[in-house]
């Protein structure tokens, strides 16, 4: 049985996410959408846009929309069958980008059940203080010393080779990805996801950093989603609640209008974007792919792909800068990414 994630037909825009790669690779909870399916069907999950034929033409395919977030119980039951299982009310469906942080509490709890079933956590060092030990799972190779972990409000999962430095305060539900570092004195509230290879500090609440991104210094990040390979300079903060507590409106790039995103919404930032020190983002700001944000005033609430300050980010310079950032973390800008970035640039 093969699972085919349909990211071509009737998939809503989650801009600025899903621009560089399929929505299937968006991280919510502990895993990407693809990884959730792959956990129970290793080697038997495909993404329609990445299939060489680009068609649904295999009789063994069981097709699900890519924007569906499967629950733990749904995946477990599907794995015990040999045919399609109808989606149930336990699953979630992403229709808007802000739903990534709105559903993150649920997603962390679902992934925690899946990833810890039948497994035993590594021992937590006695230098730490913890509440709710039964909801804390630590992979081998993680380093945690002189921190405070409160898992009574939700599970806390610390991945392999992650480091939680001394003085950090973690209040679940929280996921810290592989090789990520939480710097000294950090304050992280649930529901927050720090993806693999990230560096974080300051205050973070109900936010997602997908992978290879940095918020390494003081400043506030709340009710926000940060893509891959982003960097928030020291002192950068966002607003997540309007002073009059009215609904936050988000610019929809595809429909060219504003949509209400609820009472709280912070910063939605696409891959490869960066902000200078002390940048202050207004409530409900959307930043596209490959933007360099700086200036003496508060940035606008919508910043399109490939923006340099108030100008267009010249393509060759953008590619060089992205390559430099990748080199910092011993990675390389691949040709496939370059071609996709060029396509996004041409559509700007």
């Amino acid at each position: 049985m093969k699972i085919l994630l349909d990211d071509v037909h009737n998939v809503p825009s989650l801009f600025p996410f899903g621009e560089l790669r399929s929505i299937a690779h968006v991280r919510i909870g502990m895993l990407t959408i693809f990884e959730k399916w792959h956990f129970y069907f290793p080697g038997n999950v495909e993404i329609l846009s990445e299939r060489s034929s680009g068609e649904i033409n295999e009789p063994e395919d069981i097709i699900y929309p890519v924007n569906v977030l499967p629950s733990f119980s749904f995946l477990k039951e599907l794995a015990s069958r040999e045919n399609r299982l109808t989606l149930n009310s336990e699953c979630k469906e992403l229709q808007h980008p802000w739903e990534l942080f709105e559903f993150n509490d649920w997603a962390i709890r679902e992934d925690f059940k899946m990833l810890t079933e039948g497994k035993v956590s590594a021992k937590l060092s006695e230098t730490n203080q913890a509440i709710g030990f039964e909801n804390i799972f630590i992979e081998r190779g993680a380093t945690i010393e002189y921190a405070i972990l409160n898992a009574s409000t939700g599970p806390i999962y610390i991945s392999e080779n992650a480091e939680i430095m001394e003085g950090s305060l973690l209040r679940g539900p929280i996921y810290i990805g592989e090789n990520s570092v939480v710097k000294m004195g950090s304050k992280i509230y649930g529901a927050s996801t720090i993806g693999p290879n990230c560096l974080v500090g300051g205050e973070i609440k109900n936010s997602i950093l997908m992978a290879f991104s940095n918020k390494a210094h003081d400043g506030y990040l709340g009710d926000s989603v940060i893509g891959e390979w982003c960097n928030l300079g020291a002192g950068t903060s966002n607003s997540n609640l309007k002073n009059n507590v009215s609904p936050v409106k988000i610019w929809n790039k595809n429909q060219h209008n504003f949509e209400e995103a609820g009472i709280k919404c912070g910063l939605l930032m696409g891959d490869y974007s960066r902000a200078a020190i002390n940048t202050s983002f207004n409530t409900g700001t959307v930043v596209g792919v490959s933007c360099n944000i700086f200036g003496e005033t508060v940035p606008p609430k919508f910043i399109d792909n490939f923006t340099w300050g108030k100008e267009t980010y010249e393509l060759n310079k953008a590619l060089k800068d992205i390559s430099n950032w990748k080199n910092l973390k011993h990675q390389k800008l691949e040709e496939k990414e370059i071609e996709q970035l060029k396509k996004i640039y041409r559509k700007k």
Side-chain angles (χ1 to χ4, degrees), residues 35-246:
E35 289 169 345
K36 296 176 195 298
W37 295 95
H38 187 265
F39 185 86
Y40 274 106
F41 302 94
N44 289 303
V45 183
E46 288 190 42
I47 302 166
L48 181 55
S49 66
E50 296 177 3
R51 179 175 272 187
S52 56
S53 65
E55 298 178 357
I56 303 172
N57 56 8
E58 302 294 338
E60 70 273 18
D61 288 343
I62 298 180
I63 305 160
Y64 290 104
V66 73
N67 58 316
V68 165
L69 305 176
S71 68
F72 166 65
S73 62
F74 174 84
L75 286 171
K76 200 171 183 180
E77 183 178 351
L78 180 62
S80 68
R81 301 164 59 103
E82 294 183 357
N83 52 15
R84 180 183 172 87
L85 178 64
T86 302
L87 296 169
N88 57 38
S89 60
E90 293 182 354
C91 301
K92 303 285 187 182
E93 186 175 355
L94 288 170
Q95 297 286 345
H96 307 283
W98 58 85
E99 290 174 336
L100 288 164
F101 68 76
E102 288 182 350
F103 294 161
N104 203 42
D105 186 302
W106 172 87
I108 290 175
R109 294 174 193 270
E110 293 296 307
D111 289 349
F112 187 87
K113 289 184 286 188
M114 183 164 64
L115 293 182
T116 61
E117 186 178 37
K119 297 179 181 178
V120 178
S121 171
K123 186 179 179 181
L124 183 65
S125 167
E126 294 181 357
T127 67
N128 299 287
Q129 294 185 358
I131 304 171
F133 280 97
E134 69 279 6
N135 291 324
I136 298 174
F137 192 93
I138 304 166
E139 291 187 0
R140 271 64 181 171
T143 302
I144 313 167
E145 300 290 350
Y146 295 97
I148 297 176
L149 292 78
N150 182 359
S152 67
T153 53
I156 296 175
Y157 192 105
I158 313 295
S159 299
E160 182 180 9
N161 297 326
E163 181 179 6
I164 314 298
M165 291 185 177
E166 54 271 26
S168 294
L169 309 174
L170 277 65
R171 183 180 179 90
I174 289 173
Y175 170 72
I176 308 296
E178 184 178 359
N179 299 319
S180 286
V181 176
V182 177
K183 296 180 71 177
M184 290 192 300
S186 299
K187 296 175 286 187
I188 305 180
Y189 299 81
S192 289
T193 293
I194 311 302
N197 301 286
C198 290
L199 178 63
V200 298
E203 183 178 2
I204 299 172
K205 173 240 162 191
N206 194 34
S207 295
I208 298 172
L209 285 82
M210 293 199 183
F212 291 99
S213 289
N214 303 329
K215 181 213 168 296
H217 305 287
D218 285 340
Y220 176 70
L221 183 71
D223 299 288
S224 297
V225 183
I226 307 299
E228 296 189 6
W229 295 101
C230 295
N231 189 73
L232 302 181
T236 294
S237 292
N238 75 270
S239 167
N240 64 338
L241 179 69
K242 295 176 71 173
N243 283 345
N244 60 5
V245 201
S246 61

Side-chain angles (χ1 to χ4, degrees), residues 278-324:
N278 295 321
T279 302
S280 296
F281 288 103
N282 214 328
T283 319
T285 296
V286 177
V287 177
V289 171
S290 188
C291 297
N292 193 6
I293 302 157
F294 58 90
E296 298 178 356
T297 60
V298 174
K301 286 192 60 171
F302 177 73
I303 302 173
D304 205 356
N305 298 326
F306 288 95
T307 295
W308 170 276
K310 296 181 180 180
E311 309 296 330
T312 297
Y313 206 157
E314 195 273 324
L315 178 61
N316 288 335
K317 178 171 177 52
L319 294 176
K320 180 179 179 181
D321 292 345
I322 290 170
S323 182
N324 289 341

